[in-house]
Amino acid sequence: MSYLFPTYKRWEVEPAHAKGSYITGVDGKVYLDFTSGIGVCNLGHCHPEVEQAVVEQLKKFWHVSNLFPQSIQEKAAKLLVEASGLDLVFFANSGAEANEAAIKLARKATGRSKVISFTNSFHGRTFGSMAATGQDKIKQGFGPMLETFTHLPFNDTESLLQEIGKDTAAVILEVIQGEGGIHAADVDFLANIQKACKETGALVIIDEIQTGVGRTGKPFAFQHFNLKPDIITVAKGLGSGFPIGAVIGKGNLQDAFGPGSHGSTFGGNPMAVSAAIATMELIFEGAFLNESASMGEYLFEQITTKLGELDGVKEVRGLGLMLGIEISANIAEVLSTLRSKGLIALPAGENVIRLLPPLNITKAEVDQAVDLLEKTLSHITSATV
Ligand SMILES: Cc1ncc(COP(=O)(O)O)c(C=O)c1O
């Protein structure tokens, strides 16, 4: 019997330890991990430089509160600002909390309350971020949602132009919807969002919680497009497994988040922040992202060549090392078969295998994963669903 609320349907693999791209189960079986803890351990498990940074901080102090100036917070914020081109950072503990803060910031800065988000989006499980989320299954049973949010069809400019107005505080979106099934926004749609927000005074909030910190081959996914967001939210991969979230905003929003306006006891916790600094120094500097982007292209190419023609594979899509394979078979069964063969992957949307390997994955590991995918998917057919 379990003493935990059964909010997660758990897999049969219990990890004993994990290193790099591999997890070893308590039974000694070794698995190639193409989930990175759901887009979190982007440097692989237990990266030695992140470990060293956290251990060093562990020996100095663990927590003092945000009433004290903390130069490591400033250092982490500077790295985020330099990588994003925005100006100011608020640290939270998770993605949902970062989105809550972003929504509060946009409402306070504009003095407006309406927020537009999109169908199939995922923004978190707190009351505000759940209400922002465009998937009914996430909200079922929790009663009336906040009226602040309107959900429009993703990639539909016409409905956006009909809805957005002088009462819109913000438009919030993922440029590549992760949980929703690896769906990218159209370039034109993004340009139209930017233009409509400029005309109406609404803010553009880009949720980079899954796509950020290098996942798509650039520091942030919005940088693939001609976008100038007012606010971005980050979490997951920022701390390599230590819980941290962040809101990064333009300097002109400063007054809306003055002393006492928003806060978090643990936000910017020294352990998480030291992990974030080490993570960003490794990912944002040198050739890391170029190599990671090339590996993403290699993975995409291998999947399309070796799996693209299989009967049960409908589509391969994504960017960088955030890829989805839409299949015509029961996703839970396929993922279970993959695990039995030694590859751990994620579901997304309806029938999508989501691959979020570490950003420093090697070619040999990619080849191993593609081989296991091929062995599994060659047995399914379009009639298997
Ligand atoms: C795009 C996006 N936003 C927000 C969240 C929520 O993040 P957290 O689970 O850290 O609250 C997630 C988590 O999957 C996400 O993918």
Side-chain angles (χ1 to χ4, degrees):
M1 102 145 231
S2 171
Y3 294 100
L4 302 170
F5 274 112
T7 50
Y8 286 89
K9 214 169 169 186
R10 293 180 193 256
W11 295 330
E12 65 288 349
V13 180
E14 173 155 5
H17 50 90
K19 186 80 189 155
S21 306
Y22 292 92
I23 292 177
T24 306
V26 287
D27 57 359
K29 190 167 171 193
V30 178
Y31 299 85
L32 179 55
D33 181 13
F34 262 44
T35 74
S36 305
I38 323 188
V40 169
C41 307
N42 289 353
L43 292 164
H45 293 283
C46 303
H47 192 282
E49 286 177 49
V50 179
E51 180 180 302
Q52 192 190 336
V54 176
V55 168
E56 273 169 24
Q57 182 57 42
L58 193 66
K59 290 179 179 157
K60 291 181 191 159
F61 59 91
W62 299 358
H63 176 86
V64 287
S65 93
N66 287 322
L67 299 173
F68 293 86
Q70 294 175 53
S71 47
I72 54 165
Q73 287 186 351
E74 292 293 340
K75 189 169 175 188
K78 185 166 182 271
L79 286 164
L80 283 171
V81 162
E82 284 169 357
S84 66
L86 283 90
D87 306 301
L88 291 168
V89 176
F90 173 86
F91 284 116
N93 304 289
S94 66
E97 270 186 49
N99 281 339
E100 289 286 339
I103 292 158
K104 282 178 70 176
L105 178 58
R107 287 179 55 142
K108 190 140 185 263
T110 58
R112 308 170 180 182
S113 60
K114 261 180 66 177
V115 177
I116 292 174
S117 82
F118 298 98
T119 47
N120 246 346
S121 61
F122 184 78
H123 298 295
R125 305 274 193 166
T126 56
F127 216 73
S129 64
M130 170 175 67
T133 292
Q135 300 183 47
D136 289 344
K137 66 175 190 217
I138 305 289
K139 309 178 195 187
Q140 240 163 41
F142 293 110
M145 292 288 130
L146 297 174
E147 282 171 10
T148 293
F149 299 94
T150 309
H151 298 95
L152 303 179
F154 195 48
N155 280 331
D156 181 352
T157 296
E158 215 177 295
S159 59
L160 172 81
L161 296 181
Q162 262 167 29
E163 184 64 28
I164 197 165
K166 299 267 182 219
D167 56 350
T168 309
V171 176
I172 182 168
L173 75 152
E174 305 155 81
V175 294
I176 301 169
Q177 294 183 331
E179 304 293 312
I182 315 289
H183 292 288
D186 294 340
V187 177
D188 287 353
F189 181 61
L190 293 174
N192 287 326
I193 289 178
Q194 185 80 63
K195 188 163 170 269
C197 283
K198 194 165 179 224
E199 283 166 8
T200 55
L203 305 184
V204 177
I205 305 175
I206 304 294
D207 179 337
E208 292 270 3
I209 285 155
Q210 193 158 148
T211 51
V213 201
R215 175 52 59 193
T216 66
K218 287 192 187 281
F220 300 101
F222 80 84
Q223 293 164 331
H224 290 280
F225 307 93
N226 187 20
L227 265 181
K228 300 232 169 311
D230 298 281
I231 300 172
I232 67 174
T233 52
V234 192
K236 285 191 181 284
L238 181 58
S240 286
F242 289 85
I244 184 166
V247 176
I248 318 171
K250 279 192 176 160
N252 60 1
L253 302 172
Q254 179 166 11
D255 291 345
F257 260 9
S261 56
H262 191 57
S264 162
T265 298
F266 287 126
N269 167 269
M271 313 317 307
V273 166
S274 56
I277 292 170
T279 302
M280 286 188 281
E281 283 178 344
L282 286 160
I283 293 179
F284 293 159
E285 286 167 21
F288 185 97
L289 279 178
N290 286 341
E291 283 162 18
S292 179
S294 306
M295 209 43 81
E297 280 164 24
Y298 178 67
L299 175 59
F300 190 89
E301 177 220 298
Q302 288 296 301
I303 292 175
T304 38
T305 332
K306 299 205 167 133
L307 314 176
E309 298 301 315
L310 295 178
D311 200 21
V313 172
K314 287 166 85 175
E315 195 181 17
V316 183
R317 50 182 185 254
L319 194 58
L321 284 165
M322 180 174 181
L323 300 184
I325 307 170
E326 189 170 334
I327 57 170
S328 55
N330 181 292
I331 187 74
E333 280 171 23
V334 169
L335 291 179
S336 166
T337 309
L338 276 173
R339 285 195 298 278
S340 70
K341 293 186 193 302
L343 177 67
I344 311 186
L346 291 160
E350 285 293 311
N351 272 321
V352 178
I353 301 173
R354 181 172 32 150
L355 303 176
L356 301 175
L359 304 183
N360 52 3
I361 193 90
T362 65
K363 192 163 173 286
E365 288 162 348
V366 165
D367 291 341
Q368 186 190 350
V370 173
D371 181 49
L372 294 172
L373 281 162
E374 195 179 3
K375 283 186 176 127
T376 305
L377 295 180
S378 54
H379 293 294
I380 63 168
T381 66
S382 49
T384 326
V385 195

CSV table of all heavy atoms in Angstrom, one decimal, residues 263-300:
chain,number,residue,atom,x,y,z
A,263,GLY,N,6.0,37.8,-3.4
A,263,GLY,CA,7.1,37.2,-2.7
A,263,GLY,C,7.0,35.7,-2.6
A,263,GLY,O,6.1,35.1,-3.0
A,264,SER,N,8.1,35.1,-2.0
A,264,SER,CA,8.1,33.7,-1.8
A,264,SER,C,9.2,33.4,-0.8
A,264,SER,O,10.3,33.8,-1.0
A,264,SER,CB,8.4,33.0,-3.2
A,264,SER,OG,8.9,31.7,-3.0
A,265,THR,N,8.9,32.6,0.2
A,265,THR,CA,9.9,32.3,1.2
A,265,THR,C,11.1,31.6,0.6
A,265,THR,O,12.2,32.0,0.9
A,265,THR,CB,9.2,31.4,2.3
A,265,THR,OG1,8.2,32.1,3.0
A,265,THR,CG2,10.3,31.0,3.4
A,266,PHE,N,10.8,30.6,-0.2
A,266,PHE,CA,11.9,29.8,-0.7
A,266,PHE,C,12.4,30.3,-2.1
A,266,PHE,O,13.4,29.8,-2.5
A,266,PHE,CB,11.4,28.3,-0.9
A,266,PHE,CG,11.3,27.6,0.4
A,266,PHE,CD1,10.1,26.9,0.7
A,266,PHE,CD2,12.3,27.5,1.3
A,266,PHE,CE1,10.0,26.3,1.9
A,266,PHE,CE2,12.2,26.8,2.5
A,266,PHE,CZ,11.0,26.2,2.8
A,267,GLY,N,11.6,31.2,-2.7
A,267,GLY,CA,12.1,31.6,-4.1
A,267,GLY,C,13.5,32.1,-4.0
A,267,GLY,O,13.8,33.0,-3.2
A,268,GLY,N,14.3,31.6,-4.9
A,268,GLY,CA,15.7,32.1,-5.0
A,268,GLY,C,16.6,31.4,-3.9
A,268,GLY,O,17.6,31.9,-3.5
A,269,ASN,N,16.1,30.3,-3.4
A,269,ASN,CA,16.8,29.5,-2.4
A,269,ASN,C,18.3,29.3,-2.8
A,269,ASN,O,18.5,28.9,-4.0
A,269,ASN,CB,16.1,28.2,-2.2
A,269,ASN,CG,16.9,27.2,-1.4
A,269,ASN,OD1,17.7,26.4,-1.9
A,269,ASN,ND2,16.8,27.3,-0.1
A,270,PRO,N,19.3,29.5,-1.9
A,270,PRO,CA,20.7,29.4,-2.3
A,270,PRO,C,21.1,28.1,-3.0
A,270,PRO,O,21.9,28.0,-3.9
A,270,PRO,CB,21.4,29.6,-1.0
A,270,PRO,CG,20.5,30.3,-0.1
A,270,PRO,CD,19.1,29.9,-0.5
A,271,MET,N,20.5,27.0,-2.5
A,271,MET,CA,20.9,25.7,-3.1
A,271,MET,C,20.4,25.6,-4.6
A,271,MET,O,21.2,25.2,-5.4
A,271,MET,CB,20.2,24.5,-2.3
A,271,MET,CG,20.3,24.5,-0.8
A,271,MET,SD,21.8,25.0,-0.1
A,271,MET,CE,22.9,23.9,-0.9
A,272,ALA,N,19.2,26.0,-4.8
A,272,ALA,CA,18.7,26.0,-6.2
A,272,ALA,C,19.4,27.0,-7.0
A,272,ALA,O,19.7,26.7,-8.2
A,272,ALA,CB,17.2,26.2,-6.1
A,273,VAL,N,19.7,28.2,-6.5
A,273,VAL,CA,20.3,29.2,-7.3
A,273,VAL,C,21.7,28.8,-7.6
A,273,VAL,O,22.2,29.0,-8.8
A,273,VAL,CB,20.3,30.5,-6.5
A,273,VAL,CG1,21.2,31.6,-7.1
A,273,VAL,CG2,18.8,31.1,-6.5
A,274,SER,N,22.4,28.1,-6.7
A,274,SER,CA,23.8,27.7,-7.1
A,274,SER,C,23.8,26.7,-8.2
A,274,SER,O,24.6,26.7,-9.1
A,274,SER,CB,24.6,27.2,-5.8
A,274,SER,OG,23.9,26.2,-5.2
A,275,ALA,N,22.8,25.8,-8.1
A,275,ALA,CA,22.6,24.8,-9.2
A,275,ALA,C,22.3,25.5,-10.5
A,275,ALA,O,22.8,25.1,-11.6
A,275,ALA,CB,21.5,23.8,-8.9
A,276,ALA,N,21.5,26.5,-10.5
A,276,ALA,CA,21.1,27.3,-11.7
A,276,ALA,C,22.3,28.0,-12.3
A,276,ALA,O,22.4,28.0,-13.5
A,276,ALA,CB,20.0,28.3,-11.4
A,277,ILE,N,23.1,28.6,-11.5
A,277,ILE,CA,24.3,29.3,-12.0
A,277,ILE,C,25.2,28.3,-12.8
A,277,ILE,O,25.6,28.5,-13.9
A,277,ILE,CB,25.1,30.0,-10.9
A,277,ILE,CG1,24.2,31.1,-10.3
A,277,ILE,CG2,26.4,30.5,-11.4
A,277,ILE,CD1,24.8,31.7,-9.0
A,278,ALA,N,25.5,27.2,-12.1
A,278,ALA,CA,26.4,26.1,-12.7
A,278,ALA,C,25.7,25.6,-14.0
A,278,ALA,O,26.4,25.5,-15.0
A,278,ALA,CB,26.6,25.0,-11.8
A,279,THR,N,24.4,25.4,-14.0
A,279,THR,CA,23.7,24.9,-15.2
A,279,THR,C,23.8,25.9,-16.3
A,279,THR,O,24.2,25.5,-17.4
A,279,THR,CB,22.2,24.7,-14.8
A,279,THR,OG1,22.1,23.7,-13.7
A,279,THR,CG2,21.4,24.1,-16.0
A,280,MET,N,23.5,27.2,-16.0
A,280,MET,CA,23.6,28.2,-17.1
A,280,MET,C,25.0,28.4,-17.6
A,280,MET,O,25.2,28.6,-18.8
A,280,MET,CB,22.9,29.5,-16.6
A,280,MET,CG,21.4,29.4,-16.5
A,280,MET,SD,20.7,31.0,-16.1
A,280,MET,CE,21.0,31.2,-14.3
A,281,GLU,N,26.0,28.4,-16.7
A,281,GLU,CA,27.3,28.6,-17.2
A,281,GLU,C,27.7,27.5,-18.2
A,281,GLU,O,28.4,27.7,-19.1
A,281,GLU,CB,28.3,28.6,-16.0
A,281,GLU,CG,28.2,30.0,-15.3
A,281,GLU,CD,29.1,30.2,-14.1
A,281,GLU,OE1,29.6,29.2,-13.6
A,281,GLU,OE2,29.3,31.3,-13.7
A,282,LEU,N,27.2,26.3,-17.9
A,282,LEU,CA,27.5,25.1,-18.8
A,282,LEU,C,26.7,25.2,-20.1
A,282,LEU,O,27.3,25.0,-21.2
A,282,LEU,CB,27.3,23.8,-18.2
A,282,LEU,CG,28.3,23.4,-17.1
A,282,LEU,CD1,27.7,22.4,-16.1
A,282,LEU,CD2,29.5,22.8,-17.8
A,283,ILE,N,25.5,25.6,-20.0
A,283,ILE,CA,24.6,25.6,-21.2
A,283,ILE,C,24.7,26.8,-22.1
A,283,ILE,O,24.8,26.7,-23.4
A,283,ILE,CB,23.1,25.3,-20.8
A,283,ILE,CG1,23.0,23.9,-20.2
A,283,ILE,CG2,22.2,25.5,-22.0
A,283,ILE,CD1,21.6,23.5,-19.8
A,284,PHE,N,24.8,28.0,-21.5
A,284,PHE,CA,24.8,29.2,-22.3
A,284,PHE,C,26.2,29.6,-22.9
A,284,PHE,O,26.3,30.5,-23.7
A,284,PHE,CB,24.3,30.4,-21.5
A,284,PHE,CG,22.8,30.3,-21.1
A,284,PHE,CD1,22.3,31.0,-20.0
A,284,PHE,CD2,21.9,29.4,-21.8
A,284,PHE,CE1,20.9,30.9,-19.7
A,284,PHE,CE2,20.6,29.3,-21.5
A,284,PHE,CZ,20.1,30.0,-20.4
A,285,GLU,N,27.3,29.0,-22.3
A,285,GLU,CA,28.6,29.4,-22.7
A,285,GLU,C,29.2,28.4,-23.7
A,285,GLU,O,28.9,27.3,-23.7
A,285,GLU,CB,29.5,29.7,-21.5
A,285,GLU,CG,29.0,31.0,-20.8
A,285,GLU,CD,29.6,31.2,-19.4
A,285,GLU,OE1,30.6,30.6,-19.1
A,285,GLU,OE2,29.0,32.0,-18.7
A,286,GLY,N,30.2,28.9,-24.5
A,286,GLY,CA,30.9,28.1,-25.4
A,286,GLY,C,30.0,27.5,-26.5
A,286,GLY,O,29.0,28.0,-26.9
A,287,ALA,N,30.5,26.3,-26.9
A,287,ALA,CA,29.8,25.6,-28.1
A,287,ALA,C,28.7,24.7,-27.7
A,287,ALA,O,28.1,24.0,-28.5
A,287,ALA,CB,30.9,24.9,-28.9
A,288,PHE,N,28.3,24.7,-26.4
A,288,PHE,CA,27.4,23.7,-25.9
A,288,PHE,C,26.1,23.7,-26.7
A,288,PHE,O,25.6,22.6,-27.2
A,288,PHE,CB,27.0,24.0,-24.4
A,288,PHE,CG,26.2,22.9,-23.8
A,288,PHE,CD1,26.7,21.9,-23.0
A,288,PHE,CD2,24.8,23.0,-24.0
A,288,PHE,CE1,25.9,20.9,-22.5
A,288,PHE,CE2,23.9,22.0,-23.4
A,288,PHE,CZ,24.5,21.0,-22.7
A,289,LEU,N,25.5,24.8,-26.9
A,289,LEU,CA,24.2,24.9,-27.6
A,289,LEU,C,24.2,24.5,-29.0
A,289,LEU,O,23.3,23.9,-29.6
A,289,LEU,CB,23.5,26.2,-27.4
A,289,LEU,CG,22.8,26.4,-26.0
A,289,LEU,CD1,22.1,27.7,-25.9
A,289,LEU,CD2,21.7,25.3,-25.8
A,290,ASN,N,25.4,24.9,-29.7
A,290,ASN,CA,25.5,24.5,-31.1
A,290,ASN,C,25.6,22.9,-31.2
A,290,ASN,O,25.0,22.3,-32.1
A,290,ASN,CB,26.8,25.0,-31.7
A,290,ASN,CG,26.7,26.5,-31.9
A,290,ASN,OD1,25.6,27.0,-32.0
A,290,ASN,ND2,27.8,27.2,-32.1
A,291,GLU,N,26.3,22.3,-30.3
A,291,GLU,CA,26.5,20.9,-30.3
A,291,GLU,C,25.1,20.2,-30.0
A,291,GLU,O,24.8,19.2,-30.7
A,291,GLU,CB,27.5,20.4,-29.3
A,291,GLU,CG,28.9,20.7,-29.9
A,291,GLU,CD,30.0,20.7,-28.8
A,291,GLU,OE1,29.8,20.1,-27.7
A,291,GLU,OE2,31.1,21.2,-29.1
A,292,SER,N,24.4,20.8,-29.0
A,292,SER,CA,23.1,20.2,-28.7
A,292,SER,C,22.1,20.3,-29.8
A,292,SER,O,21.4,19.4,-30.1
A,292,SER,CB,22.6,21.0,-27.4
A,292,SER,OG,21.4,20.5,-27.1
A,293,ALA,N,22.2,21.5,-30.5
A,293,ALA,CA,21.2,21.7,-31.6
A,293,ALA,C,21.6,20.7,-32.8
A,293,ALA,O,20.7,20.1,-33.4
A,293,ALA,CB,21.4,23.1,-32.2
A,294,SER,N,22.9,20.5,-33.0
A,294,SER,CA,23.3,19.5,-34.0
A,294,SER,C,22.8,18.1,-33.7
A,294,SER,O,22.3,17.3,-34.5
A,294,SER,CB,24.8,19.4,-34.2
A,294,SER,OG,25.3,20.6,-34.4
A,295,MET,N,22.9,17.8,-32.4
A,295,MET,CA,22.4,16.4,-31.9
A,295,MET,C,20.9,16.3,-32.1
A,295,MET,O,20.4,15.3,-32.4
A,295,MET,CB,22.8,16.2,-30.5
A,295,MET,CG,23.1,14.8,-30.1
A,295,MET,SD,24.0,13.8,-31.3
A,295,MET,CE,25.6,14.3,-30.9
A,296,GLY,N,20.2,17.4,-31.9
A,296,GLY,CA,18.8,17.5,-32.1
A,296,GLY,C,18.4,17.2,-33.6
A,296,GLY,O,17.5,16.4,-33.9
A,297,GLU,N,19.2,17.8,-34.5
A,297,GLU,CA,19.0,17.6,-35.9
A,297,GLU,C,19.3,16.1,-36.3
A,297,GLU,O,18.6,15.5,-37.1
A,297,GLU,CB,19.9,18.5,-36.7
A,297,GLU,CG,19.4,19.9,-36.8
A,297,GLU,CD,20.4,20.9,-37.3
A,297,GLU,OE1,21.4,20.5,-37.9
A,297,GLU,OE2,20.3,22.1,-36.9
A,298,TYR,N,20.4,15.6,-35.7
A,298,TYR,CA,20.7,14.2,-35.9
A,298,TYR,C,19.6,13.3,-35.5
A,298,TYR,O,19.2,12.3,-36.2
A,298,TYR,CB,22.1,13.9,-35.3
A,298,TYR,CG,22.5,12.4,-35.4
A,298,TYR,CD1,22.9,12.0,-36.7
A,298,TYR,CD2,22.5,11.6,-34.4
A,298,TYR,CE1,23.2,10.6,-36.9
A,298,TYR,CE2,22.9,10.2,-34.5
A,298,TYR,CZ,23.3,9.8,-35.8
A,298,TYR,OH,23.6,8.5,-36.0
A,299,LEU,N,19.1,13.5,-34.3
A,299,LEU,CA,18.0,12.7,-33.7
A,299,LEU,C,16.8,12.7,-34.6
A,299,LEU,O,16.2,11.7,-35.0
A,299,LEU,CB,17.7,13.1,-32.3
A,299,LEU,CG,16.5,12.4,-31.6
A,299,LEU,CD1,16.7,10.9,-31.5
A,299,LEU,CD2,16.2,13.0,-30.2
A,300,PHE,N,16.4,14.0,-35.0
A,300,PHE,CA,15.3,14.2,-35.9
A,300,PHE,C,15.4,13.4,-37.2
A,300,PHE,O,14.6,12.7,-37.7
A,300,PHE,CB,15.1,15.7,-36.2
A,300,PHE,CG,13.8,16.0,-36.8
A,300,PHE,CD1,12.6,16.2,-36.1
A,300,PHE,CD2,13.7,16.0,-38.2
A,300,PHE,CE1,11.4,16.5,-36.7
A,300,PHE,CE2,12.5,16.3,-38.9
A,300,PHE,CZ,11.3,16.6,-38.1
